[in-house]
Amino acid sequence: ALAHGDFERIRIVGHRIKGIGGCYGFDRISEIGHALEEAAQRQEAEEIRKRAAELAECLQRIEPV
C-alpha cells in the first residue's frame, strides 16, 4: 500500500491492528497500530516504515502457547 501511496488503506490496517491488539491484550501491538493509523493520516511514509518494522519485530517475539 505504501508503494502505491495508499495511505487510506494503511490507516485502515493500522486501525484494525490497534483494535485486534487491544482485544487480545497485546498493548504494544495496539500502540503500534495507533501510530500507523496516525502516520497514515499525516501521510508520513518514513514513520510508517519505522512502525511497520517495529510491528514485525514485535510479532517475531510472540510465542504461541
Side-chain angles (χ1 to χ4, degrees):
L2 187 56
H4 298 289
D6 192 349
F7 292 100
E8 179 61 14
R9 172 71 57 197
I10 296 166
R11 186 195 65 75
I12 291 168
V13 170
H15 182 78
R16 289 179 179 169
I17 290 169
K18 177 177 69 172
I20 290 169
C23 285
Y24 289 99
F26 292 110
D27 294 336
R28 183 65 188 133
I29 290 175
S30 187
E31 292 168 5
I32 294 169
H34 180 71
L36 276 169
E37 183 179 17
E38 288 188 343
Q41 288 174 339
R42 294 187 304 268
Q43 298 187 2
E44 295 177 339
E46 191 55 40
E47 182 69 15
I48 291 168
R49 284 186 192 94
K50 178 182 171 186
R51 298 304 180 169
E54 283 181 42
L55 178 62
E57 182 182 321
C58 187
L59 291 173
Q60 288 178 0
R61 289 183 277 152
I62 295 174
E63 295 184 27
V65 289

